[in-house]
Amino acid sequence: MNKNNKNLDNLYKKFPDQNPNPILRLSVDGRLEYYNQPSKPIINYFSLKMNEKVNDDLFIHVNPTLSKKEHEFEIKLEFTFYSFKCVYVEELNGINIYGTDITAKKTIDKFPDSNPNPVLRVSYKGILNYHNKGSINLVHALKLKVSKIVPKSIFQYLEEVALSGQSSIYEIQAGNFTYSASFVPIPEFQFIIIYATDITAYKVIKKFPSQNPNPVLRVDTNWKMNYFNESSK
């Protein structure tokens, strides 16, 4: 290895230990040349050892990097999901593997499609990343599109929640429908999940209690009744 390559190698080795995410390096023939402390669960799971070839269960995912130069894959290790990006580094004649724990994101993504109410995921920059089937009416009314910035009526709430770091509930008017929407920030992934409920009927009934087929009564602060609808008789 010439002087320049040694300098690159030394520079590479200097910083990964400060990275909270897993970083590994393999030689082109699959030998483990380096790993940082956050990589320990991966090392233990695959029983990897320095300067020895990694097993086929891992190398089969990494090998495409040699022809593609860059390659990404996801893998589950017991109860943890990881996303890996592999990069072939010609100067080092090796493959750098950068890992990210995506368990929380996987958990968040797993259930919204079974929710009959609208669930949307929007980045801190205001870009809609996802919406479930229950969001169709809301999405159409507000003309939302995946990978596009949401309108100002939604963006203003995103800004407030992103700055405060606290969940907040807002009312959203979408065409003829009114939604109560809970904005929940997920700072680890720089996005906000919006859980919405259609409250249009509730708003109408509240406004016109006499049209409610169910009993509606109203009392003042002294518990004196001052209103009841026909259904309350």
Side-chain angles (χ1 to χ4, degrees):
M1 182 180 289
N2 62 33
K3 184 177 181 181
N4 288 337
N5 284 350
K6 285 184 178 179
N7 289 338
L8 282 168
D9 198 32
N10 290 334
L11 183 64
Y12 172 76
K13 290 179 178 178
K14 185 175 181 181
F15 297 104
D17 284 326
Q18 301 173 19
N19 194 319
N21 295 314
I23 297 179
L24 305 89
R25 189 176 75 211
L26 304 184
S27 65
V28 291
D29 60 352
R31 289 178 294 104
L32 179 65
E33 295 184 337
Y34 170 84
Y35 66 89
N36 65 351
Q37 190 61 33
S39 303
K40 271 287 190 181
I42 301 165
I43 298 298
N44 294 337
Y45 182 86
F46 287 108
S47 301
L48 306 181
K49 294 182 179 180
M50 285 292 295
N51 300 316
E52 292 187 9
K53 285 190 175 182
V54 301
N55 55 45
D56 290 340
D57 290 340
L58 176 59
F59 196 66
I60 192 173
H61 295 289
V62 179
N63 192 46
T65 312
L66 294 175
S67 58
K68 298 169 63 176
K69 303 305 178 185
E70 289 191 11
H71 176 60
E72 296 183 12
F73 66 94
E74 291 183 9
I75 197 168
K76 183 182 179 183
L77 309 183
E78 295 182 333
F79 302 108
T80 306
F81 289 90
Y82 286 96
S83 172
F84 291 101
K85 180 172 184 178
C86 306
V87 180
Y88 173 67
V89 183
E90 186 175 357
E91 292 83 0
L92 302 177
N93 195 31
I95 301 170
N96 291 349
I97 305 172
Y98 305 94
T100 304
D101 184 340
I102 58 170
T103 308
K105 183 176 183 297
K106 282 286 188 181
T107 303
I108 289 168
D109 285 348
K110 188 175 182 181
F111 302 105
D113 280 329
S114 62
N115 192 330
N117 294 315
V119 180
L120 305 93
R121 188 174 72 235
V122 186
S123 74
Y124 275 18
K125 294 181 179 180
I127 296 173
L128 177 65
N129 295 324
Y130 164 89
H131 65 81
N132 69 345
K133 293 179 181 178
S135 305
I136 294 299
N137 290 336
L138 177 61
V139 167
H140 285 172
L142 295 177
K143 298 180 180 179
L144 303 178
K145 292 184 179 180
V146 173
S147 300
K148 300 292 183 181
I149 295 179
V150 299
K152 291 181 180 179
S153 58
I154 303 295
F155 193 80
Q156 61 179 334
Y157 301 142
L158 295 172
E159 285 187 314
E160 292 176 11
V161 171
L163 286 172
S164 69
Q166 302 295 319
S167 300
S168 295
I169 298 175
Y170 302 95
E171 282 193 9
I172 297 174
Q173 193 68 37
N176 296 324
F177 296 91
T178 303
Y179 294 87
S180 175
S182 177
F183 285 62
V184 181
I186 311 293
E188 308 93 280
F189 297 104
Q190 293 289 288
F191 60 68
I192 293 169
I193 300 179
I194 303 173
Y195 299 96
T197 303
D198 185 347
I199 59 170
T200 308
Y202 169 77
K203 298 284 281 188
V204 172
I205 290 170
K206 187 178 179 182
K207 189 174 183 180
F208 305 105
S210 59
Q211 299 176 22
N212 193 327
N214 299 310
V216 177
L217 303 92
R218 186 169 64 234
V219 297
D220 60 22
T221 55
N222 295 317
W223 297 101
K224 183 178 180 180
M225 184 182 298
N226 54 31
Y227 172 85
F228 63 87
N229 68 350
E230 190 66 25
S231 302
S232 304
K233 290 183 178 181

